[in-house]
Amino acid sequence: MQIRIRGRSFMAFVVLPEAPLVPWLTALRGQIAKAPGFFNARPVIVDFAHLSPGTEGVATLLTDIEALGITVIDVENIGDIPCAAPFRRHLLGGRPTGVVEIKPTVRPAPEAAGGGADASAGASMPPEPAQSTPGLIVEDHVRSGQSVLFPKGDVTVLGSVSSGAEILAGGSIHIYGALRGRALAGAQGFARARIFCRKLEAELVSIDGFYMTAEDMDPEMRGAAVQISLESGRITIAQQR
Amino acid sequence: MAKVVVVTSGKGGVGKTTSTAAIGAALAQTGAKVVVVDFDVGLRNLDLVMGAERRVVFDLINVIQGDAKLHQALIRDKRLENLSILPASQTRDKDALTSDGVAKVIADLREKFDWVLCDSPAGIERGPAMAMHHADIAIVVTNPEVSSVRDSDRIIGLLDSKTERAQRGERVEKHLLLTRYDPVRAARGDMLKVEDVLDILSIPLLGIIPESQEVLKASNVGIPVTLNNPDTAPARAYQDAVRRLLGEKIDIVIPQERRSFVDRLFGRRVA
């Protein structure tokens, strides 16, 4: 039995409470009222940098914050302040991003989606990097031993991808020549990514971590212009007209 | 303006050294001043194929390290006075090839010669990287079989990214030399076809050298095949390749061995 593991990154918010804590909590409650859903299903880290062990209400701060419907996953700069063990997780690998602004929403909070909650459904999403990611265009052939890594979006190759070469894209992969090497689309967990090529002679294709090697490909499809997609967890190759 | 040509392949045993010697000699026969440089430090062979092994005193590494002057290390060919060889060292290793040292030697050779042919070692490490670094033109030697083709493809990628020209944003002019080609086996499907190789590598074809006993015979006597017996099929194929390298437009044909009347009468195969 093989255990499949995939990476996924979420943006966590770091909140910095300031003394006195009673008005700060009131202000936070006010913000949530203006932008309901802002903290919905979002991991939050509480930074104690502006607080000291003597600050009034510091002992109950984390439970007070959780009572507002916020999911606290870790604490920072806690120092000597007493803190319940479940909140101290010492998470690794955090990378700072910019200041997040809470935007008031007009629409009511989206209902808690049942099952696989799609985070993007929230109308009051924090500003994710808003600029569109233009695809990467490779003008030439991708030769054996070369790899093109573009986790942000689509990759278009105007030439061929040689045996022993590799394309890894966060989005779809478009190859105007022959695909003889490996193509890994949707590498960041994007199941709707596709792979297109003029001539399929691939060693391996993969979408969202599901893969198919040359051996498992339909011999009829070899040499054909194809479109490769993921249909309910199976790599599917279809001839293009 | 001197041209620096690297003869390279990635894979070993495909015919780089034989081709360097044959092309070097054929170029020299046109009257140009030619030097062939062996970059295979530690596994030198070009001196043997050129028949110069008994006259090696100094080598490329001696010149790079300042133990000898360039003119002391250059060996003039006995048959063609405008053809020289710069041998590799058999006792040192490839780390002795310093970037600055190689750059200096190539710059000096450019002043003395019209053509500088660098015989690259196999692989993709320091030796091949040094051999290709200063090249204006690359001759990619490939056998019609999949592993050789894939290795050549890898080398083409390096030519496009790691050479001095690539780093200046220019391109190395690349040519494919298909060696050890056997038309009978290719027709039977035992070998990759010419079109398949060209389709995969997509660089222009400089020539097709047929598989032949003549190549082995020539290297055993230490004479480049183009000088040893200029009428044989591989010699003619190399001569055509050189004319194409010089810019002539000649149709690609696969030269065949000339069979005697008796052979034909009995339908003997030359294979």
Side-chain angles (χ1 to χ4, degrees):
Chain A
M1 184 75 190
Q2 200 187 347
I3 296 174
R4 289 167 53 93
I5 299 179
R6 257 188 279 158
R8 186 152 301 173
S9 65
F10 295 91
M11 180 150 84
F13 296 153
V14 181
V15 295
L16 274 130
E18 285 168 50
L21 284 172
V22 176
W24 184 82
L25 280 165
T26 314
L28 179 61
R29 202 171 294 122
Q31 286 284 9
I32 293 171
K34 269 191 267 174
F38 180 81
F39 286 109
N40 260 5
R42 279 278 176 187
V44 169
I45 293 165
V46 180
D47 188 342
F48 283 74
H50 297 334
L51 305 175
S52 63
T55 311
E56 200 186 331
V58 76
T60 55
L61 177 63
L62 291 171
T63 38
D64 289 344
I65 291 174
E66 289 231 300
L68 297 173
I70 294 173
T71 318
V72 177
I73 58 158
D74 201 3
V75 292
E76 280 179 2
N77 299 315
I78 186 109
D80 300 329
I81 302 169
C83 161
F87 293 119
R88 288 193 120 154
R89 293 202 175 88
H90 306 288
L91 298 178
L92 296 174
R95 268 173 303 179
T97 56
V99 170
V100 176
E101 203 181 320
I102 305 182
K103 283 193 186 142
T105 41
V106 192
R107 283 200 284 163
E111 291 188 15
D118 185 358
S120 64
S124 53
M125 276 290 292
E128 292 266 310
Q131 84 277 18
S132 65
T133 40
L136 177 74
I137 297 176
V138 181
E139 303 268 351
D140 210 345
H141 300 287
V142 183
R143 301 284 182 178
S144 186
Q146 296 179 327
S147 42
V148 175
L149 308 176
F150 191 69
K152 282 189 198 155
D154 289 11
V155 174
T156 306
V157 180
L158 302 189
S160 294
V161 177
S162 294
S163 161
E166 179 176 72
I167 310 287
L168 185 143
S172 298
I173 298 173
H174 312 258
I175 298 162
Y176 283 85
L179 169 58
R180 301 191 175 95
R182 297 170 157 225
L184 301 100
Q188 309 271 57
F190 179 51
R192 281 175 295 148
R194 292 186 188 188
I195 299 167
F196 305 86
C197 66
R198 283 275 176 83
K199 193 173 179 192
L200 178 73
E201 285 171 13
E203 293 164 346
L204 180 144
V205 292
S206 157
I207 296 171
D208 187 22
F210 293 89
Y211 64 88
M212 183 184 268
T213 57
E215 202 160 273
D216 298 324
M217 289 174 199
D218 181 356
E220 298 246 310
M221 295 294 172
R222 294 201 80 76
V226 299
Q227 165 180 176
I228 302 165
S229 56
L230 192 61
E231 311 288 342
S232 51
R234 286 181 68 90
I235 296 278
T236 310
I237 305 178
Q239 207 152 344
Q240 279 190 302
R241 288 163 301 276
Chain B
M1 184 60 191
K3 293 234 165 96
V4 177
V5 182
V6 61
V7 180
T8 185
S9 70
K11 195 174 187 305
V14 296
K16 287 181 293 297
T17 302
T18 307
S19 298
T20 306
I23 291 171
L27 272 171
Q29 281 178 314
T30 68
K33 284 186 281 180
V34 181
V35 61
V36 289
V37 186
D38 193 348
F39 270 84
D40 206 346
V41 178
L43 287 170
R44 72 170 199 226
N45 281 144
L46 187 59
D47 54 332
L48 289 172
V49 176
M50 298 286 295
E53 77 280 7
R54 288 145 66 99
R55 292 185 290 147
V56 175
V57 183
F58 296 111
D59 57 49
L60 176 62
I61 301 297
N62 293 138
V63 177
I64 284 175
Q65 296 186 333
D67 303 330
K69 294 264 183 285
L70 182 59
H71 71 85
Q72 293 177 296
L74 286 170
I75 303 168
R76 188 164 287 182
D77 188 82
K78 278 185 178 165
R79 298 146 298 231
L80 293 164
E81 63 156 16
N82 52 339
L83 174 63
S84 296
I85 166 174
L86 181 56
S89 168
Q90 182 73 347
T91 50
R92 307 299 182 82
D93 66 38
K94 291 178 166 102
D95 297 335
L97 288 171
T98 61
S99 306
D100 294 347
V102 172
K104 173 83 171 59
V105 170
I106 296 287
D108 290 349
L109 291 172
R110 272 185 199 269
E111 307 229 316
K112 287 177 189 276
F113 295 94
D114 301 320
W115 292 88
V116 180
L117 260 67
C118 304
D119 181 22
S120 171
I124 53 170
E125 311 301 335
R126 183 166 187 84
M130 285 290 125
M132 72 167 65
H133 192 75
H134 302 279
D136 305 308
I137 300 172
I139 297 177
V140 180
V141 182
T142 306
N143 290 167
E145 47 105 10
V146 283
S147 60
S148 174
V149 171
R150 185 197 273 185
D151 291 1
S152 293
D153 192 59
R154 179 95 163 96
I155 284 290
I156 296 168
L158 296 177
L159 287 166
D160 285 341
S161 59
K162 296 278 191 256
T163 51
E164 193 183 40
R165 279 199 167 217
Q167 283 159 6
R168 285 204 304 258
E170 296 167 28
R171 297 221 119 186
V172 175
E173 188 184 318
K174 298 175 292 283
H175 298 278
L176 176 67
L177 187 68
L178 203 57
T179 52
R180 312 194 66 166
Y181 186 80
D182 184 339
V184 178
R185 287 181 56 204
R188 278 206 307 258
D190 299 347
M191 260 184 184
L192 283 179
K193 291 200 184 71
V194 178
E195 310 84 82
D196 296 341
V197 179
L198 285 173
D199 187 35
I200 293 172
L201 295 180
S202 14
I203 56 171
L205 183 60
L206 187 65
I208 302 172
I209 314 298
E211 171 85 349
S212 164
Q213 290 296 318
E214 292 297 330
V215 175
L216 188 65
K217 264 194 239 167
S219 39
N220 283 340
V221 293
I223 304 171
V225 66
T226 36
L227 296 183
N228 191 40
N229 196 347
D231 275 341
T232 56
R236 283 180 290 134
Y238 277 118
Q239 284 150 7
D240 282 358
V242 164
R243 287 166 65 195
R244 286 184 202 104
L245 189 65
L246 293 169
E248 276 187 60
K249 298 259 173 288
I250 315 168
D251 288 339
I252 301 269
V253 285
I254 305 158
Q256 306 277 331
E257 299 287 356
R258 288 181 182 140
R259 285 194 272 164
S260 73
F261 174 72
V262 181
D263 279 348
R264 269 182 232 191
L265 205 61
F266 292 101
R268 272 187 225 155
R269 279 263 167 96
V270 190

